Amino acid sequence: KKNKEILRNDKISFELPPECKEFLGSEVLLNDSREAKLNMVNLIGKLRAFWEREEFDKPVFENEFRVDLYDNNGVLQSGLEMKIDENRLVEILRNRIAKGVESFFEGLREVFANYRDEIDLNTDIIHIFLAGNSSKSPIAKELFEQKIDKLQKDFQSKNYKGKFELYPPLDNQNNSEKPNGKTGVAFGLIETRPGGK
């Protein structure tokens, strides 16, 4: 939206991201063409440095950045300069990750509710292993810790002694033979299946 004039002038469009709504004037900027999909891929690739960083107190793009985008005729527009509001992007990122954290704990609550007879509710520790790209973000760790802290206080008020323990994502950057989050999930799924070895 902040770059709609530039995009209109250069006849550049994007596909509508999931969970987003069309806005006034978006019919010119949004479509399902091959170029629109490629533009979304290029934009995501350019923004990857933004959400994969470890510190969010310094700007990455200094309010402007350049990205290669295709116009609606399939012609590549190299290094198109666009305006960017990093504070707004952090807010969007926090909201998206917060939804994921809430969804995780809602799923956990449902498991406890649906399998009450099979689960020992006197478990001392519930281990949470972070996995996936978004879990590498310090925002994810912060939001998980906030939620865990709130739940611990609720548990204490109900005399439940259990606690949560959060583990960072496994990192095998320098050794491909070490397990990572995906292999950890795979092993966990195998071990929880009847007869899994």
Side-chain angles (χ1 to χ4, degrees), residues 56-67:
F56 280 80
D57 56 348
K58 298 175 194 151
V60 173
F61 301 115
E62 302 293 339
N63 298 324
E64 291 184 341
F65 77 124
R66 295 180 181 277
V67 61

Side-chain angles (χ1 to χ4, degrees), residues 105-134:
F105 282 102
E106 181 57 28
L108 188 63
R109 188 199 63 73
E110 283 183 29
V111 166
F112 274 94
N114 294 335
Y115 297 95
R116 191 174 313 150
D117 297 336
E118 292 112 29
I119 295 174
D120 180 6
L121 293 179
N122 293 315
T123 302
D124 292 334
I125 300 173
I126 297 172
H127 301 276
I128 301 172
F129 296 89
L130 297 179
N133 286 337
S134 66

Side-chain angles (χ1 to χ4, degrees), residues 88-101 139 143:
R88 177 71 178 120
L89 285 180
V90 169
E91 182 185 325
I92 291 168
L93 190 59
R94 285 185 74 82
N95 289 339
R96 295 289 299 162
I97 293 174
K99 281 183 185 178
V101 170
I139 294 172
L143 292 173

